[in-house]
Amino acid sequence: MGKRLSWTTLAGLVTSGMVSLPLSAAPPEPLPADQLDWQPWGSDRPEGALCRGRYVMPGYRLPVPADEKIASEADSADYGADGETILAGEVVLRRSDAQLEAPRVRVPGTRETAFAEGPLALRDRGILVRGESAELSLNSDAASIDNAHYVAHEQRLRGDAQRLARLEDGRYRLTEASFTTCDPGDNTWRLVGNDILLDRETGVGTARHARLEVARVPVFYWPWLRFPIDERRQTGFLWPMLGISLDSLDYAQPFYWNIAPNRDATITPRWITDRGLLMGGEYRYLYEDNAGQIEGAYLANDDGGSDDDRYDEPQRFEGEDRWYVDYRHAGRFDARTRYRLRYGAASDGRYFDDFGTTFGEQETSNLPRLAQIDHRGDVWQLQARAQGFQRLEEPLLDREKPFYRLPSLTANARWSQDSGFYQQWRSNLTYFWRDVDEAELPDNPRFDREAAVGTRLHLAPAAGWRFDETWGHLEPRVEWLATAYELDYGNRETDRDTTLTRSVPVSTLDAGLAFERELDLGGRGYRQTLEPRMNYAYVPARDQSEFPDFDTAERAFSWNQLWSPYRFSGSDRVGDLNRLSFGVDSRLLEDASGRQRLALGIGQALYFEDRNIDMAGDPDTLPSESRDEDYYRATRDRSPIVTRLDWQMTDHWRSRWQWLYDDDRERTESASLAVQYRADAGHVLNLGYRWQLEGFDPGLEDEDVLTYNREEYDLSFAWKASRQVDLIGRVLYDNTNDRALEQLAGVQWNDCCYGLQLVWREWVDDRDTANTIEDDYVDRGVFLRFVFKGLGGVGGEADSYFEQAIPGYRATAF
């Protein structure tokens, strides 16, 4: 991977000491909570509530008057000769949804304006404003209040202003004012501005000469700022992101464009001091029957970056244009017919290594390309697709380039009769292509085969009978795999056949019994089952040595492979097999609910013939005895013993275990153990162990095959220390090579008005060559995200990565 940068909130801190005059705005000190309609939670506090209370608007003191008239109530009233009226005592005026409460109100004879002396309270549709004095229009909603303190109940906004004016159009203008979503008495953050305008109809606020204060300390200044005051999306600048490393500065300034309710875009200029200006963008759209997005970035004339010892040629791309694009679209023509489109491309295989994607710059190994239509009928399932992907490796050799399917047509169907008989049809026609110079591939038989492109037709009709009762089942089945190729070797000189066919019958017989008994454990009723099962499969060997390898890999052995006749994925190879599998399952079910508490299974397979067919496809030749593991896998007369356990120990503890033991060589081939604790409060603890014999998975690419026995320990946890605090951590340890593959530690603080995510991560990057550790390097980073609720935030989201790294954890939404 490329250079790692520590994303921080420092983007605004660097400017905080550079401005003096605009920072002089001084709103009045806030009122105590009991004067702001604030009610602390009591025993009725909702589960998970982060705030200490809520704003509750009391009922109006006067009923709404008819015909937009003004209703009033006062202890006394005096009338002057010129028609002036002075109301005193507990004065209450109401017009429509607006209500004024004050000790003294003066109304001139014109009856157009009222002057109130405070302390006063003005209420209007979920808004409370308190102040020292006010001037109110009696013909409109306009009002002006001095030394004001305001609350917007639904938006949880509060603030203070030297002067607050409600304009005739319903907007609020605040002078020398503050704005925050924190609880009363909480000064974690506030926005202060000389001139703030709040528009509740559009959900937008603007501020001039605004500063952000954290704990009353100025940390950011804007000459002009536009911000949301509710959940509606708004056009404007998002918080910048700043990355700092020892030899470069990385600054990104996203701009969000709310084009329409169903369309938006984000444009992100990004300046990297040792590379140049990278322009990025994303456009999204959503319609009733389809949705999609396109994203990408472009850097003209890469400056090459700073020296980096992770690559032999660290400045290889100096002077080149760097870019990527990724388009995704999905929709439906009707309820049964859906389609998907995807196109991804990058200028080179190291683009994401150098410029990253998400938290920790997770590995992006390829960019998919797809056009697909699916139709699902009652009997037939049809699919047409064109598919490929760009493999992101640098350099990318011709023999490593992936095949494209241009196109691939699939038609599958199934028919069933009440007697238990069924028929099945599977078929696929695909043209495989890749952009290589066939003559430049290495000169050996393997690459003669891999030089081929062409068409493959694969038909797989099947018939069977299923007898299924509560006490057992029996299912004989016959499938015929017929495959035909039309191949082209391009410029490569070869005498290999271009027209090939293969027909292979696949016969299986599957049978099982189910026994049950009632069981009482600890005073609770259970049902225990005992389910023996046998499966016989016969697949004869067919010569496939001339066949290409478009999409096939040999499967690693597992519990599921005990019962499957297919030794390979894909259709280019059909493995010969003469095997009898047998095993037994036992389950423990809660009698009342049927919930499974325990499942234990053990099984093994007996082979009556060697398995000659491997990826070479020769039915007459076994692997060389010098390749000990390959030869042993092909000639062993029985499989490893497979044992699996799934145990729900309590409502909070669960464990899973799988063990493959070779009783002939007396060794473990593969073992995995996972123990998980999940509490109702949200705590998660995962303990994992994995052992895998060298070469256990025969389907891996050469560069992915480990040259050692893998033994790894995995510990991860998420602890909800309180409503606000999540502590997370992970250690993935490679015991074979005595090193930590990943270490992660972080804290998430989710408070009423802000959220904080601080994570340290260190990990090993293998440079896409898992078969050697000599070129591995350790990378690390500190990642900070800070969200001011109601205003925005700084830093990239890492929630999805946490949920992947810590199974069972659900990140707190800020």
Side-chain angles (χ1 to χ4, degrees):
M1 304 296 282
K3 187 173 302 173
R4 296 309 191 278
L5 305 173
S6 301
W7 296 101
T8 73
T9 57
L10 298 177
L13 303 182
V14 296
T15 63
S16 61
M18 300 174 59
V19 182
S20 58
L21 179 60
L23 299 184
S24 61
E29 287 299 310
L31 293 176
D34 58 1
Q35 297 186 43
L36 297 176
D37 290 348
W38 176 258
Q39 292 188 7
W41 294 113
S43 59
D44 59 342
R45 178 172 187 159
E47 183 179 355
L50 297 172
C51 301
R52 297 189 301 272
R54 75 281 198 198
Y55 296 103
V56 179
M57 182 176 176
Y60 286 96
R61 294 179 59 177
L62 295 178
V64 59
D67 302 327
E68 292 295 313
K69 294 181 179 179
I70 298 175
S72 64
E73 181 180 275
D75 291 343
S76 63
D78 294 329
Y79 302 95
D82 57 356
E84 181 182 61
T85 302
I86 298 177
L87 303 176
E90 292 191 22
V91 181
V92 181
L93 299 179
R94 181 174 182 185
R95 176 180 175 272
S96 186
D97 291 328
Q99 177 178 281
L100 173 66
E101 304 172 27
R104 188 173 187 274
V105 176
R106 180 174 61 87
V107 182
T110 59
R111 296 295 191 267
E112 295 181 352
T113 307
F115 299 89
E117 299 177 6
L120 59 86
L122 176 64
R123 300 186 179 279
D124 183 11
R125 292 188 301 162
I127 288 282
L128 166 66
V129 182
R130 294 190 182 274
E132 289 185 352
S133 60
E135 179 180 337
L136 302 92
S137 171
L138 299 180
N139 299 320
S140 69
D141 292 331
S144 176
I145 302 175
D146 293 329
N147 200 29
H149 312 272
Y150 67 92
V151 172
H153 297 77
E154 292 184 6
Q155 291 82 12
R156 296 191 56 85
L157 307 181
R158 67 174 178 87
D160 313 282
Q162 294 290 355
R163 186 176 182 86
L164 181 150
R166 177 184 169 115
L167 308 180
E168 292 189 6
D169 58 9
R171 294 181 298 167
Y172 290 84
R173 182 177 294 279
L174 295 82
T175 306
E176 303 284 321
S178 68
F179 155 87
T180 186
T181 58
C182 296
D183 290 347
D186 184 349
N187 298 315
T188 299
W189 72 268
R190 68 174 183 171
L191 183 71
V192 180
N194 285 354
D195 183 10
I196 297 178
L197 190 65
L198 303 178
D199 189 340
R200 299 175 70 199
E201 293 297 325
T202 62
V204 174
T206 60
R208 297 182 184 275
H209 295 304
R211 69 178 185 267
L212 175 66
E213 293 182 355
V214 176
R216 295 298 179 95
V217 177
V219 297
F220 205 101
Y221 164 74
W222 296 269
W224 182 85
L225 174 68
R226 189 172 189 267
F227 55 92
I229 60 175
D230 57 25
E231 296 299 319
R232 285 175 284 183
R233 305 192 312 269
Q234 304 294 342
T235 296
F237 286 100
L238 304 179
W239 284 80
M241 292 184 290
L242 181 69
I244 300 175
S245 67
L246 294 177
D247 45 22
S248 72
L249 174 71
D250 188 343
Y251 180 85
Q253 178 56 71
F255 177 80
Y256 178 78
W257 182 14
N258 185 32
I259 303 171
N262 65 329
R263 292 179 290 132
D264 64 11
T266 304
I267 303 168
T268 308
R270 178 180 173 189
W271 175 255
I272 309 172
T273 55
D274 59 352
R275 292 196 176 272
L277 178 63
L278 179 73
M279 290 296 299
E282 177 189 62
Y283 170 71
R284 304 185 301 176
Y285 55 89
L286 174 64
Y287 295 96
E288 182 178 357
D289 292 325
N290 61 82
Q293 70 179 56
I294 182 170
E295 63 179 63
Y298 181 81
L299 169 66
N301 193 19
D302 187 355
D303 291 341
S306 303
D307 289 341
D308 193 333
D309 60 5
R310 286 170 292 188
Y311 301 126
D312 296 331
E313 302 173 89
Q315 296 180 338
R316 180 179 182 278
F317 298 99
E318 185 172 0
E320 297 186 15
D321 297 341
R322 312 286 299 279
W323 55 268
Y324 91 96
V325 63
D326 192 2
Y327 173 63
R328 312 178 190 197
H329 179 88
R332 63 181 182 182
F333 295 116
D334 54 48
R336 292 179 177 267
T337 309
R338 298 178 178 271
Y339 67 93
R340 290 191 296 155
L341 301 173
R342 178 80 183 270
Y343 181 81
S347 57
D348 55 82
R350 287 188 188 166
Y351 176 88
F352 293 104
D353 293 339
D354 291 340
F355 301 106
T357 50
T358 55
F359 168 78
E361 298 179 13
Q362 298 174 55
E363 182 177 358
T364 302
S365 59
N366 61 74
L367 287 171
R369 298 162 183 182
L370 174 70
Q372 179 173 311
I373 300 176
D374 290 278
H375 176 78
R376 296 191 175 276
D378 294 333
V379 175
W380 287 92
Q381 287 79 48
L382 308 177
Q383 183 186 90
R385 62 174 168 162
Q387 184 181 31
F389 59 91
Q390 178 185 359
R391 179 172 289 172
L392 297 176
E393 294 183 11
E394 192 68 37
L396 179 63
L397 303 178
D398 272 357
R399 62 178 180 266
E400 296 172 345
K401 290 182 178 179
F403 282 98
Y404 282 67
R405 295 170 170 85
L406 300 173
S408 178
L409 307 175
T410 300
N412 296 332
R414 182 182 175 91
W415 300 267
S416 300
Q417 289 80 49
D418 294 339
S419 59
F421 287 98
Y422 64 86
Q423 301 79 41
Q424 181 177 299
W425 174 268
R426 294 188 298 120
S427 60
N428 176 264
L429 176 65
T430 301
Y431 178 76
F432 292 93
W433 172 89
R434 63 175 173 174
D435 182 20
V436 300
D437 184 349
E438 299 86 354
E440 295 298 320
L441 293 173
D443 186 15
N444 61 52
R446 170 189 169 185
F447 288 103
D448 282 347
R449 181 173 64 242
E450 293 194 5
V453 298
T455 301
R456 183 187 71 196
L457 174 64
H458 183 71
L459 306 177
W465 176 69
R466 176 80 179 185
F467 172 80
D468 205 345
E469 294 290 343
T470 57
W471 51 266
H473 74 274
L474 176 66
E475 182 179 8
R477 173 187 169 93
V478 178
E479 185 175 23
W480 189 267
L481 304 182
T483 312
Y485 293 85
E486 286 290 337
L487 303 177
D488 183 2
Y489 292 91
N491 297 323
R492 192 175 184 88
E493 293 184 5
T494 179
D495 57 359
R496 300 174 71 89
D497 290 337
T498 58
T499 300
L500 301 168
T501 60
R502 177 196 64 202
S503 296
V504 186
V506 177
S507 305
T508 59
L509 177 64
D510 192 76
L513 297 173
F515 303 95
E516 292 185 0
R517 69 167 180 169
E518 302 299 323
L519 195 63
D520 185 83
L521 294 174
R524 304 181 66 176
Y526 295 91
R527 280 185 299 129
Q528 183 188 15
T529 69
L530 187 67
E531 303 170 47
R533 181 182 179 184
M534 298 187 69
N535 180 283
Y536 176 75
Y538 178 74
V539 183
R542 294 289 187 267
D543 188 357
Q544 300 162 66
S545 57
E546 297 289 313
F547 285 28
D549 172 19
F550 291 139
D551 63 355
T552 293
E554 190 171 355
R555 301 176 191 264
F557 196 77
S558 65
W559 174 268
N560 290 333
Q561 282 298 105
L562 276 175
W563 321 110
S564 172
Y566 310 110
R567 292 177 41 224
F568 295 89
S569 62
S571 302
D572 296 314
R573 297 290 181 274
V574 178
D576 54 325
L577 191 63
N578 189 358
R579 181 216 66 202
L580 175 66
S581 296
F582 50 89
V584 61
D585 268 320
S586 181
R587 295 182 296 153
L588 197 63
L589 309 175
E590 286 186 344
D591 198 34
S593 63
R595 181 181 181 184
Q596 179 176 288
R597 281 294 185 180
L598 177 70
L600 174 64
I602 184 170
Q604 192 176 28
L606 300 180
Y607 299 110
F608 304 116
E609 295 177 0
D610 294 340
R611 278 73 59 209
N612 288 62
I613 299 297
D614 56 12
M615 289 304 298
D618 188 343
D620 302 317
T621 304
L622 289 169
S624 170
E625 293 189 34
S626 62
R627 295 161 52 195
D628 178 67
E629 289 300 329
D630 292 341
Y631 180 81
Y632 178 65
R633 187 164 50 242
T635 59
R636 65 195 302 175
D637 58 8
R638 59 184 182 271
S639 75
I641 299 172
V642 187
T643 306
R644 65 168 187 169
L645 172 70
D646 189 341
W647 184 14
Q648 186 78 44
M649 294 172 278
T650 69
D651 291 341
H652 303 298
W653 285 94
R654 181 176 186 177
S655 65
R656 291 182 177 179
W657 175 56
Q658 181 170 283
W659 181 34
L660 275 67
Y661 179 74
D662 182 354
D663 61 332
D664 183 25
R665 293 191 170 183
E666 298 181 347
R667 66 180 184 179
T668 295
E669 293 191 2
S670 175
S672 62
L673 172 65
V675 179
Q676 184 180 78
Y677 170 76
R678 297 183 66 175
D680 295 335
H683 314 310
V684 177
L685 174 65
N686 297 290
L687 303 171
Y689 172 81
R690 178 168 67 167
W691 161 271
Q692 204 169 84
L693 192 68
E694 177 185 343
F696 172 76
D697 188 349
L700 295 176
E701 298 288 341
D702 292 343
E703 62 270 19
D704 296 327
V705 176
L706 299 182
T707 56
Y708 52 85
N709 297 333
R710 169 182 287 176
E711 186 176 31
E712 293 176 357
Y713 297 91
D714 194 349
L715 166 66
S716 64
F717 72 90
W719 184 264
K720 290 190 175 294
S722 68
R723 289 187 177 91
Q724 291 84 11
V725 181
D726 289 3
L727 303 176
I728 60 175
R730 184 192 188 196
V731 176
L732 177 60
Y733 186 75
D734 175 5
N735 193 53
T736 306
N737 300 296
D738 192 22
R739 61 177 183 170
L741 297 177
E742 178 172 17
Q743 299 178 81
L744 173 75
V747 59
Q748 292 192 134
W749 184 286
N750 189 29
D751 206 350
C752 179
C753 63
Y754 72 96
L756 172 68
Q757 194 176 72
L758 177 63
V759 182
W760 169 81
R761 183 181 178 224
E762 181 179 279
W763 67 102
V764 171
D765 193 301
D766 63 8
R767 300 198 198 189
D768 301 321
T769 54
N771 59 358
T772 178
I773 65 172
E774 281 72 20
D775 61 350
D776 294 354
Y777 66 89
V778 176
D779 215 339
R780 59 184 59 86
V782 176
F783 306 89
L784 176 63
R785 180 185 177 212
F786 205 110
V787 174
F788 303 98
K789 297 185 179 180
L791 189 60
V794 179
E797 295 186 17
D799 298 352
S800 60
Y801 180 80
F802 296 153
E803 293 178 2
Q804 173 188 341
I806 307 171
Y809 174 59
R810 294 296 175 263
T812 301
F814 288 162

